[in-house]
């Protein structure tokens, strides 16, 4: 099947697509370069890749894979990567295995119609990554055009990619032949500047591959890559929000009174902050139109890509509460779909860093002020907690530690990112806060979820500087400073122990979580300063809360 001019002279997009494939050594395939969103949307529907929902969103299903295949991600181990990659957390394949995989990818592409996209990762023109993405599916092309930065037409002439990503869902890897784990593969070769994705239709793999590349390249340029959201106030008071899934990173950064820079991936350079992306990739399951009206509005916008969202086949009405297809249902849309978004994608240096945790153990305060050393400790820890029922076999709160709040995307050792963050915090005098959006008055199942009204009030006070003027007490277990009071917030909620019916049960739970922190951090102790090591929680000291609670 040819989508070109019906036998006439090749169009410019076909010529450029062919040149791009030829440069990769791909023969017998037809490439369509830099189709706009309208053409990709039309082609995805024509091919039967997706269906149109009421309002115009494109609804697609990703089949077996409804999330990332973290265990199927590999990095080529060679002379360039040998001493640069954190091999304890990254699986390896040999250059020869990758070559075989690439040969088979190219053979698989023969006879196919492919979509070629020239895009940028990064709003900062000094540090942005020119990347070429080749997709088998038209809707994958629409997705990545939403998620990355789209060049001006003038920038397409002479576009020279530093990395190429090839995404072929119909390709099936052979573990014995390619040295991988299953029929699914995400393989990165930093020397060849090439990423191969096969055996999965989950579009997030392409986006996260760009993030992984930038996480590898930018530290060498003294730029800190971060898995975070960023917004900025009227007086350029930028704030960085770190947080794992379910901690409220997207919700809390989407404040109508502040300008959104981006919701997921950013860099911090000597010139300030910049968004890696040109769009958002938000969770859709049980999306609340009152809590997140801006995101909810994108579900009825033309061109939004909705992955694994259930839709009535007759009325085309969406059911965002239905998790039949996936708990991880997602929506991809361009940043301009959000009304209070930055047009430039850049901001100055941050005044505040917020580290979000959803503490299902119910022992963390709703907010705490961190020293720079404590900020590094909690950044390297990357703590949150899963609650019962979120995964098979999880029957009680379970601690999750994902270093740098994004371990699966960090090719280098966490200490590289931790040291860089620490230098930037010190250089720019950034205030650092830990915010608990989890439970209070007891653990999950006994206590209650932290009131969003209190979280927003405390967060606003931290961002406008008023909370720094409050009186603080030192948490005897975790060592950070906790405010004794804050306007519009019940003072009792600021002391977690006082919210528990049985203080002794709180003491035991706090001690338990503190020991988890210490055990997890053991692998980083050799890489950090004495001050960071001293920022660790102190188990078995929860009983000293008694006097404060009384």
């Amino acid at each position: 099947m040819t989508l070109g001019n019906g036998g006439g002279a090749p169009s410019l997009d076909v010529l450029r697509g062919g040149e791009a494939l030829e440069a990769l050594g791909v023969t017998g395939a037809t490439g369509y370069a830099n189709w706009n969103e309208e053409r990709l949307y039309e082609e995805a529907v024509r091919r039967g890749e997706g269906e149109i929902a009421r309002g115009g969103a494109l609804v697609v299903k990703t089949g077996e894979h409804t999330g990332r295949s973290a265990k199927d991600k590999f990095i080529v181990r060679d002379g360039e990567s040998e001493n640069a990659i954190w091999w304890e957390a990254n699986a390896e394949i040999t250059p020869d295995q990758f070559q075989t995989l690439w040969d088979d990818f190219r053979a698989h592409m023969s006879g196919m119609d492919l979509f070629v996209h020239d895009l940028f990762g990064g709003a900062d023109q000094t540090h942005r990554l020119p990347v070429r993405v080749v997709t088998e599916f038209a809707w994958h092309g629409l997705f990545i055009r939403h998620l990355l930065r789209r060049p001006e037409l003038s920038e397409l002439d002479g576009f020279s990619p530093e990395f190429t990503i090839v995404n072929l869902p119909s390709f099936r890897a052979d573990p014995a032949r390619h040295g991988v784990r299953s029929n699914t593969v995400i393989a990165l070769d930093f020397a060849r500047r090439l990423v191969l994705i096969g055996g999965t239709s989950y579009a997030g793999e392409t986006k996260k591959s760009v993030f992984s590349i930038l996480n590898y390249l930018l530290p060498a340029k003294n730029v800190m890559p971060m898995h975070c959201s960023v917004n900025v106030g009227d007086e350029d008071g930028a704030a960085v929000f770190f947080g794992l899934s379910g901690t409220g990173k997207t919700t809390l950064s989407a404040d109508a009174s502040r300008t959104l820079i981006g919701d997921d991936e950013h860099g911090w350079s000597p010139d300030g902050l910049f968004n890696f992306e040109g769009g958002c990739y938000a969770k859709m399951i049980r999306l609340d139109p009152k809590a997140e009206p801006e995101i909810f509005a994108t579900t009825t916008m033309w061109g939004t890509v909705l992955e694994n969202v259930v839709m009535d086949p007759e009325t085309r009405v969406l059911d965002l509460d239905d998790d039949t297809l996936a708990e991880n249902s997602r929506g991809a849309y361009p940043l301009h779909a959000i009304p209070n978004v930055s047009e430039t994608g850049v901001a100055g240096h941050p005044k505040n860093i917020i580290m979000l945790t959803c503490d299902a153990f119910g022992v963390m305060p709703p907010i705490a002020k961190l020293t720079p050393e404590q900020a590094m400790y909690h950044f390297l820890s990357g703590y949150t907690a899963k609650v019962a029922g979120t995964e098979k076999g999880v029957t009680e709160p379970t601690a999750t530690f994902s270093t740098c709040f994004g371990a699966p995307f960090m090719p280098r050792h966490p200490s590289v990112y931790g040291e860089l963050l620490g230098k930037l915090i010190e250089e720019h005098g950034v205030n650092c806060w830990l915010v608990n959006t989890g439970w209070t008055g007891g653990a999950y199942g006994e206590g209650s979820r932290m009131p969003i009204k209190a979280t927003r009030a405390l967060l606003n006070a931290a961002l406008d500087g008023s909370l720094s003027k409050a009186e603080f007490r030192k948490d005897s277990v975790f060592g950070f400073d906790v405010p004794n009071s804050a306007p519009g917030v019940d003072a009792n909620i600021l002391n977690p122990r006082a919210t528990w019916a049985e203080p002794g049960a709180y003491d035991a739970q706090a001690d338990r979580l503190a020991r988890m922190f210490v055990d997890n951090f053991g692998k980083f102790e050799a890489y950090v300063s004495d001050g960071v090591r001293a920022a660790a929680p102190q188990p078995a000291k929860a009983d000293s809360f008694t006097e404060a609670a009384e």
Side-chain angles (χ1 to χ4, degrees), residues 290-463:
K290 293 182 179 179
E292 299 181 88
E294 295 87 359
I295 298 174
F296 185 85
T298 67
T299 65
T300 57
M301 288 183 182
W302 179 92
T304 294
V305 177
L306 296 174
E307 286 184 329
N308 303 312
V309 172
V310 174
M311 178 183 70
D312 186 294
E314 301 299 327
T315 66
R316 301 301 171 115
V317 173
L318 303 171
D319 185 352
L320 300 179
D321 295 328
D322 192 331
D323 63 358
T324 302
L325 295 176
E327 177 71 22
N328 187 40
S329 59
R330 294 272 180 166
Y333 47 88
L335 276 169
H336 59 71
I338 302 296
N340 62 319
V341 71
S342 165
E343 293 182 2
T344 64
V346 300
H349 298 289
K351 292 184 179 179
N352 291 277
I353 288 177
I354 313 297
M355 296 186 183
L356 298 166
T357 182
C358 178
D359 176 32
F361 293 90
V363 299
M364 290 281 194
I367 196 166
K369 198 170 192 307
L370 305 176
T371 66
E373 292 78 14
Q374 289 168 341
M376 285 186 64
Y377 185 94
H378 284 276
F379 176 72
L380 289 172
S381 296
Y383 164 70
T384 193
K386 297 175 184 176
V387 298
T390 56
E391 290 186 7
K392 184 177 180 180
V394 179
T395 58
E396 61 179 9
T398 304
T400 297
F401 295 96
S402 184
T403 186
C404 307
F405 295 96
F409 323 116
M410 302 297 170
R412 297 183 183 272
H413 193 277
S415 61
V416 173
Y417 308 104
E419 289 175 8
L420 187 51
L421 181 66
K423 290 178 182 177
L424 288 165
I425 289 172
E426 182 178 2
E427 180 180 352
H428 299 287
V430 184
N431 293 311
C432 299
W433 307 87
L434 183 71
V435 172
N436 173 26
T437 61
W439 271 256
T440 183
Y444 173 82
E446 296 181 2
S448 57
R449 193 72 188 257
M450 195 72 69
I452 185 66
K453 183 178 180 181
T455 300
R456 287 195 182 277
L458 290 167
L459 185 57
N460 289 338
L463 297 183

Side-chain angles (χ1 to χ4, degrees), residues 127 217-225 268-271 420 423-424 427:
H127 302 294
L217 296 176
L218 290 180
K221 301 169 67 176
N222 200 34
V223 177
M224 174 67 185
W268 187 357
S269 79
D271 297 320
L420 187 51
K423 290 178 182 177
L424 288 165
E427 180 180 352

Side-chain angles (χ1 to χ4, degrees), residues 160-328:
S160 179
E162 290 186 24
F163 269 80
T164 298
I165 300 172
V166 181
N167 189 328
L168 305 178
S170 65
F171 181 87
R172 294 293 182 267
D174 181 343
R177 177 175 171 81
H178 302 126
V180 296
R181 190 185 70 96
S182 71
N183 295 141
T184 300
V185 61
I186 303 96
L188 291 79
D189 189 329
F190 288 112
R192 295 173 186 254
R193 299 296 196 254
L194 182 62
V195 180
L196 305 178
I197 302 170
T200 173
S201 297
Y202 180 68
E205 297 289 9
T206 304
K207 160 188 152 68
K208 289 303 184 185
S209 293
V210 176
F211 189 29
S212 295
I213 294 167
L214 288 167
N215 283 344
Y216 176 78
L217 296 176
L218 290 180
K221 301 169 67 176
N222 200 34
V223 177
M224 174 67 185
M226 302 178 293
H227 183 209
C228 68
S229 57
V230 172
N231 66 21
V232 63
D234 293 337
E235 299 180 1
D236 199 31
V240 171
F241 296 78
F242 289 109
L244 299 172
S245 179
T247 59
K249 176 165 57 76
T250 299
T251 301
L252 293 173
S253 62
D255 184 338
S257 67
R258 295 172 64 85
T259 299
L260 180 69
I261 304 299
D263 80 330
D264 200 39
E265 297 164 5
H266 294 81
W268 187 357
S269 79
D271 297 320
L273 301 167
F274 63 97
N275 192 358
F276 287 170
E277 301 180 292
C280 299
Y281 191 36
K283 278 194 171 184
M284 291 290 152
I285 192 69
R286 292 178 286 278
L287 186 65
D288 187 341
K290 293 182 179 179
E292 299 181 88
E294 295 87 359
I295 298 174
F296 185 85
T298 67
T299 65
T300 57
M301 288 183 182
W302 179 92
T304 294
V305 177
L306 296 174
E307 286 184 329
N308 303 312
V309 172
V310 174
M311 178 183 70
D312 186 294
E314 301 299 327
T315 66
R316 301 301 171 115
V317 173
L318 303 171
D319 185 352
L320 300 179
D321 295 328
D322 192 331
D323 63 358
T324 302
L325 295 176
E327 177 71 22
N328 187 40

